[in-house]
Amino acid sequence: MTTTKSTALTDDDMDVMTLLHAAFRRDATRLAHVAQTYGTENDETHDALLVGWRGFSRELHHHHRIEDTHIWPLMRRKLADRPDDLAVLDDMEAEHSLIDPTLAALEEAFDDREHGPRQVPHRIDDLVALLQSHLAHEERDAFPLIKEVITAQEWQALSKAAVKELAYSDIAQLGPYVVEGATPEQARRVLSELPVPLRLVHRFWWNPRYRRVRRWE
C-alpha cells in the first residue's frame, strides 16, 4: 500500500495569500488618498480611479469567497474539537460580512456623481478601517492556524480548485494584480501555480496590458 507523506505548510506556500494582503493594503492607502481629493479630479482621473477601485473590489470579493468556501470549511473539520480556534474562524466570517456590504456602499457612492462626493470620503474611511483591522486579525490569529492544520498538499489542492472556479478574464486580472510590487522570486512562486501556457500569456499579454492601463492616479 502506497502512502503519501504530508508536509507542513510554509510561508513560501502562502505567498499568494501574503501578496494579496499586501495588495489590499496598497490599495487601501490609495483609497485613503482618494478620500482627501474626491470630487476635485478631472474626468480622466475619475475614470482611472474607478478602474483601480473596481480591480481592488473584485479581487477582495474573490479572496473572501475562496476563504469562505474552501479554506475555512476545511479548517472547521480539523478544528471541530477546539472551540477557541473555531471562534477565530467565526470572527473571520463575521468580518467578511461587514466588509462586503461596505464595499457595495462605496461602489454605490462612486456611481452617484451628484451626491457621491459628500458620501465617498466617509464610506472610504469605514472600509479602510474595517479592512486594515481584518487583515491584521487574520494574519495574527488565522494564519498560524492555517499553517498548523492545513498541509502543503491540501493547500495546493485548494489553490487549484479555487483557480478552476475563476473565469479566464478573472485570472487575466488576478495574476498582474497580485504580482504588482512583488519581488521576482515571489512572482515566480505565485505564477508557478498557473499552467505553463498561462504563465506565458501572463508574461507577454496580461501583465503588459495591465501595466498600460491607467488606474487610481
Side-chain angles (χ1 to χ4, degrees), residues 30-41 45 49 121 216-217:
R30 289 165 165 165
L31 275 173
H33 176 70
V34 168
Q36 299 173 8
T37 62
Y38 189 73
T40 65
E41 63 277 278
T45 302
L49 154 66
W216 292 114
E217 297 296 341

Side-chain angles (χ1 to χ4, degrees), residues 107-147:
E107 174 70 21
E108 182 180 284
F110 278 136
D111 286 342
D112 185 349
R113 292 304 298 269
E114 181 179 357
H115 304 291
R118 293 193 300 273
Q119 300 169 344
V120 162
H122 303 295
R123 295 187 182 184
I124 287 177
D125 289 345
D126 290 344
L127 174 60
V128 170
L130 283 171
L131 180 60
Q132 296 284 23
S133 175
H134 171 65
L135 294 175
H137 187 186
E138 185 172 306
E139 290 163 358
R140 183 182 67 247
D141 294 338
F143 274 25
L145 284 177
I146 290 172
K147 288 192 287 186

Side-chain angles (χ1 to χ4, degrees), residues 23-24 51 69 99-100 124 217:
F24 297 147
V51 170
T69 62
I99 292 170
D100 290 346
I124 287 177
E217 297 296 341

Side-chain angles (χ1 to χ4, degrees), residues 74-89:
L74 174 60
M75 294 179 68
R76 283 187 180 282
R77 293 194 293 273
K78 296 192 171 202
L79 297 169
D81 60 348
R82 294 165 57 175
D84 288 346
D85 293 330
L86 288 175
V88 173
L89 304 185

Side-chain angles (χ1 to χ4, degrees), residues 45-59:
T45 302
H46 179 79
D47 291 344
L49 154 66
L50 293 183
V51 170
W53 152 253
R54 285 174 180 150
F56 160 76
S57 179
R58 179 183 60 248
E59 302 310 339

